[in-house]
Amino acid sequence: MPHTSLDREKKILEYLQEHGSASIQELVEVFGVSSMTIHRDLDKLAKVGQVQKKHGGATLAEKSNAKDDTCAMCGKPVSERTLFLLKLENGEEKRACCAHCGLMLQSRESSVWQSFTADYLRGHIVSAGQAVYVIGSDLNVCCVPSILSFGSQADAEKFQKGFGGTLATMEQAVHYLHGMMRTSGA
Ligand SMILES: [Zn+2]
Ligand SMILES: [Zn+2]
């Protein structure tokens, strides 16, 4: 059966989706091509992150969007509850695990178009510039010192009553982080 290599790559992917993994030998038999050809196809698929080559075969790559779910600053998994989102002018999106990393990332990026942060109490996304931040509360949910964000002053104060910390605007929170980085020499 004549296949173009593109066809075959698609079929190999389908095969892997069905079986989870396959040996080179198996693919050679299924597709009736040489092992050289299979190697070449797998190399191509591996390059675009679709499969992982294993000794003598291949498996479907781990969910390739995993990278979107880790913090662009520290690499920690991102939780929706403390998410900080940067939209760059070139359309790219960067996610941070919390306002601590998000604000650091924001001051490092030169082309931030918009930034958003999750309201810790309510879970919805608010504009980072308008959010109220609580710095250094007792609730260390993510990076330390903890910086959590709230959509309203009232919510931030409510949280502060329970967990302490200092209320800050975005500018003050950024300023605080910069001061901290200077003293730690990082
Ligand atoms: Zn982070
Ligand atoms: Zn964090």
Side-chain angles (χ1 to χ4, degrees):
M1 213 182 346
H3 285 300
T4 67
S5 70
L6 219 69
D7 261 2
R8 202 174 46 242
E9 282 161 29
K10 230 174 85 191
K11 293 251 161 57
I12 291 178
L13 266 185
E14 282 169 11
Y15 188 88
L16 286 173
Q17 266 151 14
E18 222 169 281
H19 297 83
S21 68
S23 69
I24 301 284
Q25 195 49 43
E26 204 175 329
L27 293 172
V28 165
E29 277 159 30
V30 170
F31 295 97
V33 293
S34 72
S35 62
M36 279 272 287
T37 305
I38 293 294
H39 269 294
R40 235 186 351 252
D41 289 343
L42 290 177
D43 279 342
K44 266 201 241 165
L45 289 168
K47 219 179 227 163
V48 292
Q50 299 268 34
V51 308
Q52 276 174 316
K53 280 187 88 177
K54 296 267 158 79
H55 185 70
T59 59
L60 217 53
E62 308 282 308
K63 259 193 144 336
S64 52
N65 64 4
K67 131 175 168 292
D68 292 333
D69 291 334
T70 56
C71 175
M73 191 76 194
C74 72
K76 262 196 260 194
V78 171
S79 141
E80 292 299 321
R81 206 59 198 268
T82 53
L83 168 72
F84 193 101
L85 189 67
L86 292 182
K87 287 186 193 275
L88 306 186
E89 280 161 6
N90 64 7
E92 216 183 300
E93 240 180 55
K94 293 207 168 173
R95 293 156 74 91
C97 56
C98 63
H100 179 122
C101 277
L103 292 172
M104 294 232 262
L105 196 63
Q106 178 173 276
S107 28
R108 245 178 30 169
E109 292 287 341
S110 54
S111 60
V112 176
W113 175 51
Q114 281 180 310
S115 50
F116 301 92
T117 183
D119 179 312
Y120 186 68
L121 222 51
R122 302 177 190 277
H124 56 221
I125 296 289
V126 296
S127 160
Q130 273 150 29
V132 181
Y133 297 83
V134 177
I135 301 174
S137 70
D138 298 332
L139 196 68
N140 287 326
V141 284
C142 197
C143 303
V144 179
S146 122
I147 300 184
L148 294 172
S149 48
F150 301 87
S152 74
Q153 181 87 15
D155 281 346
E157 279 171 4
K158 198 160 30 160
F159 177 87
Q160 187 195 26
K161 274 210 187 84
F163 299 100
T166 313
L167 294 195
T169 62
M170 184 176 82
E171 285 74 24
Q172 288 166 338
V174 169
H175 191 76
Y176 169 82
L177 280 172
H178 282 182
M180 194 191 76
M181 280 187 286
R182 260 198 303 278
T183 48
S184 71

